[in-house]
Amino acid sequence: MRRIRANAILILTVAWILGTFYYLWQDSRPSSSSSSSSGSQLKNHGRLEERTLPLIQQGQLLGQFDQKAFLSSKQLKAGEDPYREHAFNLQESDRLGSERTIRDTRHYRCSSMTFDPDLPPTSIIITFHNEARSTLLRTIKSVLMRSPPHLIQEIILVDDFSSDPEDCRLLSQIPKVHCLRNERREGLIRSRVRGASAASASILTFLDSHCEVNTDWLQPMIQRVKEDHTRVVSPIIDVISLDNFAYLAASADLRGGFDWSLHFKWEQIPIEQKMARNDPTQPIRTPVIAGGIFVMDKGWFNRLGQYDTHMDIWGGENFELSFRVWMCGGSLEILPCSRVGHVFRKRHPYDFPEGNALTYIKNTRRAAEVWMDEYKQYYYAARPSAQGKAFGRSDVSKTLCRSAYGDLQYFSTSLSFFKGTQKEILLKQGGLCLESHGTDSLGLAECKSTPSIPASQKWTLIEPQIRQHDLCLAITAFTAGSKVRLEPCNIKESRQVGVFSDLSTHSCSAHLEEQLLLFI
Ligand code: LR7
Ligand code: MN
């Protein structure tokens, strides 16, 4: 009996020792890849944080910057509501400190991707208004920790007139970090334009001020933009819990979308596209981006006219930029091998000088008025209160990249994107349809669809051209107001409407009389 008990104790002791070793071994593996529940994830992170990760050479990474003093001088006071000031749990964020390991949430095949050895560096632009010190510093440090140093040219902070100017001043002590402070509240749109103008790298990377970038987040995005400067790319945006700051993987099957009232929403990738995806590392084409976290070429950003700087504070700029990209022949993508966490909140923690609702209406109305043509009626139907509300100076279209060419291009690109194989199209201007007369002239006539669409009004979209048999639509020149005509198709002729690739080198300013709209 006693022997049995002794054996049992021995076995238990050995098991305990082995268990302890296994536990320690697990913990010392580089960047935790466990899929632990959020609670234990946080506990883990608390513990890991005390050790210095190989990548973080504290001194080098932060220079003269005293992070302890920075964080401790602004802590939550006892009894204060931790959600009040930032609409997330400040106490949890402060407790986490400024660095932690996070789970690598990418598909395992992402880790074997390769990138060009000569990727160009990027300027990171982060605008903030009264951001919590702990979240802002974690954003900056995650960038410094998880990006190849040679790809980070600089981090440009734009302090959008936060109450305490010290945040900006102190953070500038971190190597590579510059901080510009607005003299008055501008909102995130004008602040980003300011940051982008100051950027010295040829590639811009925008981040919100409460993010944590994940393993190898940057290379896939820079690679795609390097290959084609008209691409605007976003990562999959993971969720950082606003309550306990757990880092949670977001679905890889989503793309951006919107309803007619111009509210952003995530939507499932259409089923046929999902079925066709046999490589989980491939980009996901998206109609619009969420707006806060993306990479694009600086020349392309300028070429598109940057943002509409008459938009205030927050909202709408993500649609507007996405529409510009489409209309000028670019594309938008979500890259599943790039992951960035973001603290999603339920309310805005800051004030809107003109009120939240009015500002959103102003901004989205500008996007609708400038870019949505006859589709704007759906916007007004969905948001009747927008009728008659102020939306500022309406001369914005003059400065934008827009032409007969641009419109055709936008709609043809997006139609083929949204409708897949549909290629038979009508071209419409006002209430009339574009039709061919003989072999080289064009005119507008009443649209006829009964008993069937006449051949003269039927067009075939064979990207990159819009054709009738061997004849193609072409603009006569790349200048505002140039006429559209019919001429023999020549795939090398960039004037032939729908030839998208050359657009970046040409002007495409407004000429509304020539504007053609396309529908199926
Ligand atoms: O007046 C302001 N000045 C600022 O500098 C108001 C805000 N900001 C800063 C702010 O500190 C933050 O860094 O601008 C950034 C965005 O503001 P948030 O975090 O309050 O916005 P959000 O995350 O709720 O909103 C999303 O939509 C916005 C529309 O204008 C912007 O495009 C945000 O960048 C965008 N965030 C994301 O895309 C992250 C993913 C969320 C989603 C979906
Ligand atoms: Mn945000």
Side-chain angles (χ1 to χ4, degrees):
M1 192 64 187
R2 195 176 277 174
R3 182 101 147 261
I4 294 173
R5 200 184 293 160
N7 275 346
I9 290 173
L10 187 72
I11 290 168
L12 280 175
T13 312
V14 171
W16 183 80
I17 292 170
L18 286 176
T20 309
F21 270 119
Y22 178 71
Y23 182 75
L24 290 173
W25 172 77
Q26 275 272 315
D27 201 22
S28 61
R29 281 193 307 179
S31 96
S32 122
S33 59
S34 68
S35 52
S36 51
S37 74
S38 54
S40 62
Q41 209 176 341
L42 275 180
K43 244 188 273 148
N44 259 341
H45 296 147
R47 187 156 31 75
L48 279 169
E49 212 181 300
E50 286 147 28
R51 287 205 314 264
T52 309
L53 294 164
L55 261 175
I56 314 167
Q57 279 125 9
Q58 285 290 342
Q60 273 178 351
L61 200 69
L62 296 183
Q64 301 299 304
F65 178 75
D66 181 350
Q67 63 170 334
K68 270 211 184 94
F70 180 76
L71 292 172
S72 61
S73 63
K74 257 202 196 167
Q75 297 254 305
L76 196 71
K77 291 178 194 74
E80 238 180 300
D81 173 3
Y83 290 84
R84 193 185 57 85
E85 219 179 318
H86 302 284
F88 56 64
N89 188 343
L90 180 64
Q91 197 170 10
E92 250 339 282
S93 175
D94 289 350
R95 201 180 65 79
L96 269 184
S98 63
E99 74 224 22
R100 59 164 169 172
T101 48
I102 47 174
R103 186 159 76 88
D104 179 353
T105 49
R106 298 170 303 166
H107 191 276
Y108 71 93
R109 276 163 68 180
C110 295
S111 45
S112 49
M113 275 174 91
T114 55
F115 308 103
D116 294 354
D118 60 342
L119 289 178
T122 180
S123 298
I124 311 270
I125 295 152
I126 303 170
T127 72
F128 67 96
H129 176 72
N130 290 342
E131 183 60 72
R133 284 188 167 186
S134 51
T135 37
L136 181 53
L137 183 59
R138 219 168 17 249
T139 307
I140 298 168
K141 282 187 75 173
S142 74
V143 169
L144 295 171
M145 279 158 51
R146 303 204 183 92
S147 319
H150 69 280
L151 293 185
I152 307 292
Q153 172 109 351
E154 63 202 347
I155 298 178
I156 299 178
L157 304 177
V158 183
D159 172 2
D160 189 13
F161 200 55
S162 303
S163 327
D164 184 359
E166 280 297 281
D167 296 3
C168 189
R169 193 183 65 77
L170 293 170
L171 289 167
S172 305
Q173 297 169 350
I174 301 176
K176 292 197 182 182
V177 174
H178 311 286
C179 187
L180 310 168
R181 180 171 157 86
N182 292 341
E183 281 174 12
R184 53 176 187 165
R185 179 85 177 280
E186 298 286 358
L188 72 93
I189 296 119
R190 287 191 289 279
S191 302
R192 282 192 196 153
V193 168
R194 184 174 180 204
S197 308
S200 60
S202 66
I203 293 194
L204 306 174
T205 300
F206 295 94
L207 283 179
D208 271 13
S209 47
H210 32 256
C211 291
E212 276 166 89
V213 303
N214 210 323
T215 315
D216 289 345
W217 70 294
L218 193 56
Q219 297 93 315
M221 296 200 279
I222 297 190
Q223 177 77 38
R224 289 295 286 175
V225 174
K226 184 196 168 204
E227 285 165 11
D228 178 347
H229 73 278
T230 66
R231 286 180 187 143
V232 174
V233 299
S234 270
I236 290 185
I237 304 174
D238 285 335
V239 177
I240 300 173
S241 160
L242 66 93
D243 295 314
N244 62 12
F245 278 74
Y247 188 102
L248 307 166
S251 162
D253 289 332
L254 300 176
R255 65 181 194 180
F258 53 92
D259 58 23
W260 284 117
S261 69
L262 288 184
H263 261 125
F264 179 85
K265 55 180 192 189
W266 298 106
E267 58 180 39
Q268 288 288 331
I269 302 172
I271 188 76
E272 57 286 2
Q273 272 183 42
K274 208 164 149 177
M275 305 287 273
R277 275 177 73 76
N278 47 20
D279 179 355
T281 67
Q282 284 305 301
I284 297 162
R285 300 242 283 163
T286 183
V288 291
I289 52 168
I293 307 173
F294 62 98
V295 176
M296 78 186 283
D297 182 85
K298 183 176 175 177
W300 182 235
F301 182 66
N302 290 338
R303 163 101 196 85
L304 295 181
Q306 305 170 327
Y307 279 122
D308 174 357
T309 51
H310 294 289
M311 287 188 177
D312 297 327
I313 308 296
W314 179 99
E317 90 296 338
N318 52 333
F319 301 121
E320 210 260 341
L321 182 73
S322 302
F323 296 163
R324 284 176 200 246
V325 171
W326 277 114
M327 293 197 209
C328 289
S331 59
L332 301 141
E333 296 177 344
I334 294 169
L335 304 184
C337 288
S338 177
R339 295 265 185 170
V340 173
H342 168 262
V343 187
F344 287 80
R345 296 181 282 206
K346 295 190 183 122
R347 64 173 172 87
H348 299 289
Y350 39 75
D351 65 308
F352 285 66
E354 287 173 38
N356 181 347
L358 276 183
T359 305
Y360 200 70
I361 284 178
K362 173 184 172 183
N363 292 356
T364 52
R365 193 172 171 196
R366 290 181 72 83
E369 283 291 337
V370 172
W371 296 107
M372 287 173 66
D373 300 319
E374 61 195 27
Y375 293 92
K376 73 184 179 194
Q377 64 177 297
Y378 300 117
Y379 166 78
Y380 288 116
R383 205 184 262 281
S385 61
Q387 294 272 13
K389 291 263 161 54
F391 63 103
R393 296 212 322 260
S394 58
D395 63 349
V396 66
S397 65
K398 287 201 193 92
T399 62
L400 299 181
C401 170
R402 177 191 177 89
S403 68
Y405 184 69
D407 287 325
L408 275 174
Q409 181 192 309
Y410 166 64
F411 285 101
S412 57
T413 313
S414 54
L415 277 181
S416 58
F417 171 40
F418 288 117
K419 307 267 190 238
T421 55
Q422 182 82 47
K423 297 290 180 197
E424 289 285 296
I425 55 176
L426 288 172
L427 295 165
K428 192 181 154 200
Q429 179 175 23
L432 301 173
C433 274
L434 186 78
E435 67 175 29
S436 60
H437 303 144
T439 53
D440 60 356
S441 73
L442 291 168
L444 287 166
E446 194 192 329
C447 299
K448 299 182 197 95
S449 56
T450 44
S452 61
I453 299 169
S456 60
Q457 289 188 0
K458 216 188 267 175
W459 300 90
T460 315
L461 172 67
I462 305 175
E463 279 188 64
Q465 294 163 321
I466 296 173
R467 309 167 65 124
Q468 266 184 6
H469 307 292
D470 294 336
L471 298 176
C472 276
L473 287 183
I475 47 166
T476 44
F478 289 101
T479 49
S482 74
K483 292 272 179 288
V484 178
R485 71 174 186 208
L486 208 50
E487 60 183 39
C489 291
N490 173 3
I491 194 72
K492 293 199 182 119
E493 180 50 79
S494 54
R495 288 178 300 95
Q496 295 191 349
V497 181
V499 179
F500 312 138
S501 56
D502 274 342
L503 194 77
S504 57
T505 55
H506 301 291
S507 144
C508 55
S509 56
H511 188 78
L512 298 182
E513 290 79 35
E514 284 291 336
Q515 180 185 321
L516 295 165
L517 293 178
L518 182 66
F519 66 97
I520 292 179

